[in-house]
Coordinates of all heavy atoms in Angstrom, one line a residue:
D189 N 10.6 11.8 1.3 CA 11.5 10.9 2.0 C 12.7 10.6 1.3 O 13.8 10.5 1.8 CB 10.7 9.6 2.2 CG 10.4 9.4 3.7 OD1 10.3 10.4 4.4 OD2 10.3 8.2 4.1
T218 N 18.3 15.0 -7.1 CA 17.5 13.8 -7.4 C 16.9 13.8 -8.7 O 16.3 12.9 -9.1 CB 16.4 13.7 -6.3 OG1 15.7 14.9 -6.3 CG2 17.0 13.4 -4.9
A233 N 13.7 -6.1 13.5 CA 13.3 -6.0 14.9 C 14.3 -6.9 15.7 O 14.1 -8.1 15.9 CB 11.9 -6.5 15.0
G235 N 16.3 -8.8 18.8 CA 15.8 -9.5 19.9 C 15.2 -10.8 19.4 O 14.4 -11.4 20.1
E256 N 22.2 -8.3 3.3 CA 23.3 -7.5 2.7 C 23.9 -8.3 1.5 O 24.3 -7.7 0.5 CB 24.3 -7.2 3.8 CG 23.7 -6.1 4.7 CD 24.6 -5.6 5.9 OE1 25.7 -6.2 6.1 OE2 24.2 -4.7 6.6
K275 N 6.0 -5.5 15.4 CA 4.7 -5.1 15.0 C 4.7 -3.8 14.2 O 3.8 -3.5 13.5 CB 3.8 -4.9 16.3 CG 2.3 -4.9 16.1 CD 1.7 -4.7 17.5 CE 0.2 -4.5 17.6 NZ -0.6 -4.5 16.5
N296 N 2.5 -15.0 4.8 CA 1.1 -15.6 5.0 C 0.1 -14.7 4.2 O 0.4 -13.6 3.9 CB 0.8 -15.9 6.4 CG 0.7 -14.6 7.3 OD1 0.4 -13.5 6.8 ND2 1.0 -14.8 8.6
R299 N -0.8 -11.1 5.6 CA 0.3 -10.1 5.3 C 0.4 -9.8 3.9 O 0.7 -8.7 3.4 CB 1.6 -10.6 5.9 CG 1.6 -10.6 7.4 CD 2.9 -11.2 8.0 NE 2.9 -11.3 9.4 CZ 3.6 -12.0 10.2 NH1 4.5 -12.9 9.6 NH2 3.6 -12.0 11.5
I303 N 1.4 -6.3 2.0 CA 2.7 -6.1 1.4 C 3.0 -7.2 0.5 O 2.2 -8.1 0.3 CB 3.8 -6.0 2.6 CG1 3.9 -7.4 3.3 CG2 3.5 -4.9 3.6 CD1 5.0 -7.5 4.3
F324 N 6.3 -28.0 34.7 CA 5.3 -27.8 33.7 C 5.8 -28.4 32.4 O 6.8 -27.9 31.8 CB 4.9 -26.3 33.6 CG 3.8 -26.1 32.5 CD1 2.7 -26.8 32.5 CD2 4.0 -25.1 31.6 CE1 1.7 -26.6 31.6 CE2 3.0 -24.8 30.7 CZ 1.8 -25.6 30.6
T343 N 3.1 -11.4 16.0 CA 3.8 -12.6 15.4 C 2.8 -13.7 15.1 O 1.7 -13.8 15.6 CB 4.9 -13.2 16.3 OG1 4.2 -13.5 17.6 CG2 5.9 -12.1 16.6
N365 N -0.1 -12.9 27.7 CA 0.8 -11.7 27.9 C 1.5 -11.5 26.6 O 2.2 -12.3 26.1 CB 1.8 -12.0 29.0 CG 1.1 -12.3 30.3 OD1 0.9 -11.5 31.1 ND2 0.8 -13.6 30.5
V378 N 11.7 -17.0 32.7 CA 12.8 -17.4 33.6 C 12.4 -17.0 35.0 O 12.6 -17.7 36.0 CB 14.1 -16.8 33.1 CG1 15.2 -17.0 34.2 CG2 14.5 -17.4 31.8
I382 N 5.5 -16.0 33.8 CA 4.6 -16.8 32.8 C 5.2 -18.2 32.8 O 6.3 -18.5 33.2 CB 4.6 -16.2 31.4 CG1 6.0 -16.0 30.8 CG2 3.8 -14.8 31.4 CD1 6.0 -15.5 29.4
V387 N 7.1 -19.5 20.2 CA 8.1 -18.7 19.4 C 8.6 -19.6 18.3 O 8.7 -20.9 18.5 CB 9.2 -18.2 20.4 CG1 9.9 -19.3 21.1 CG2 10.2 -17.4 19.6
Q412 N 7.3 -20.2 6.3 CA 8.5 -19.8 5.5 C 8.7 -18.3 5.6 O 7.7 -17.5 5.4 CB 8.3 -20.2 4.0 CG 8.1 -21.7 3.9 CD 8.4 -22.2 2.5 OE1 7.7 -21.8 1.6 NE2 9.5 -22.9 2.3
R418 N 7.2 -3.1 -0.1 CA 5.9 -2.4 -0.3 C 5.1 -3.1 -1.3 O 5.6 -3.6 -2.3 CB 6.2 -1.0 -0.7 CG 5.8 0.0 0.4 CD 5.9 1.5 0.0 NE 7.2 1.7 -0.6 CZ 8.3 1.8 0.2 NH1 8.2 1.7 1.5 NH2 9.5 2.1 -0.3
S422 N 7.5 -4.2 -7.4 CA 7.9 -5.5 -8.0 C 9.4 -5.4 -8.5 O 10.0 -6.4 -8.6 CB 7.0 -5.8 -9.2 OG 7.0 -4.7 -10.1
E443 N 27.2 -20.4 3.6 CA 28.2 -19.9 4.4 C 27.6 -19.1 5.6 O 27.9 -19.2 6.7 CB 29.1 -18.9 3.6 CG 30.4 -18.5 4.1 CD 31.0 -17.5 3.1 OE1 31.3 -17.9 2.0 OE2 31.2 -16.3 3.5
I444 N 26.6 -18.2 5.2 CA 25.9 -17.4 6.2 C 25.1 -18.3 7.2 O 25.1 -18.1 8.4 CB 25.0 -16.3 5.5 CG1 25.9 -15.4 4.8 CG2 24.2 -15.6 6.6 CD1 25.1 -14.4 3.9
F449 N 23.9 -20.9 12.4 CA 23.3 -22.1 12.9 C 24.3 -23.2 13.0 O 24.9 -23.6 12.0 CB 22.1 -22.5 12.0 CG 21.0 -21.4 11.9 CD1 21.1 -20.5 10.9 CD2 20.0 -21.4 12.8 CE1 20.1 -19.5 10.8 CE2 19.0 -20.4 12.7 CZ 19.1 -19.5 11.8
S450 N 24.5 -23.7 14.2 CA 25.5 -24.8 14.4 C 25.0 -26.1 13.9 O 25.8 -27.0 13.6 CB 25.9 -24.8 15.8 OG 24.8 -24.8 16.6

Side-chain angles (χ1 to χ4, degrees):
D189 247 29
T218 55
E256 287 180 356
K275 200 178 176 359
N296 63 31
R299 291 172 180 163
I303 65 172
F324 181 47
T343 59
N365 301 268
V378 170
I382 56 174
V387 58
Q412 296 201 297
R418 247 184 307 288
S422 56
E443 195 183 297
I444 294 170
F449 299 91
S450 44

